[in-house]
Amino acid sequence: MAEADVFNEAFSSTGIVAVSTVGKATGGGQLNSGVAFGFEAKSNGGMQGRCSVIDQAQGVHARCLTVTSYVQTATKAIFKGEADVDGVRTGYRIVVEDNAESGAGADRFTITTDLGYGASGLLTAGNVQVHS
């Protein structure tokens, strides 16, 4: 199955997760928009992870509580679950891309929540690693 097919099947617009993969993604850094983040997510006989996202510009602090879905290819990982955003429990979706070893200027981080919060961009500092 092609990379695009795996992601489309796993995270379709219906919200049904048809596949999951074994893997691990870790990272931390900053985006140009003033967002600082750190995360770890993995799937290997069970899913677990954590994250913290602090958006100084919007005054938002998100903290991942669970990981309920995880899909990865060689350079990209998507995971979903429940988060606490400024004291309110909500769903989240994080997409990370590991495009270079140094990370800054190449790796990407995106978070969206069911509450409507979102941040995305190239890393200005830090590194994302999608482990094989």
Side-chain angles (χ1 to χ4, degrees):
M1 187 177 288
E3 179 178 313
D5 294 334
V6 170
F7 285 109
N8 289 335
E9 184 176 348
F11 296 104
S12 68
S13 61
T14 62
I16 298 171
V17 177
V19 296
S20 74
T21 59
V22 173
K24 178 179 178 179
T26 60
Q30 296 178 346
L31 305 180
N32 196 30
S33 59
V35 173
F37 69 91
F39 72 90
E40 176 181 22
K42 62 183 175 179
S43 172
N44 187 6
M47 288 176 242
Q48 52 185 230
R50 57 191 169 88
C51 81
S52 179
V53 178
I54 299 172
D55 187 329
Q56 299 266 344
Q58 295 188 48
V60 173
H61 183 204
R63 187 172 51 91
C64 298
L65 303 173
T66 66
V67 175
T68 57
S69 301
Y70 182 93
V71 175
Q72 115 177 15
T73 63
T75 61
K76 188 174 188 177
I78 300 174
F79 54 101
K80 297 170 67 172
E82 293 285 315
D84 176 290
V85 178
D86 295 327
V88 179
R89 195 172 179 113
T90 187
Y92 75 89
R93 179 177 189 253
I94 291 178
V95 180
V96 295
E97 295 178 47
D98 182 1
N99 296 317
E101 184 48 41
S102 66
D107 290 355
R108 296 190 69 81
F109 176 85
T110 301
I111 182 171
T112 55
T113 72
D114 293 347
L115 291 175
Y117 171 73
S120 180
L122 288 173
L123 273 62
T124 57
N127 194 25
V128 165
Q129 293 190 315
V130 177
H131 306 271
S132 54

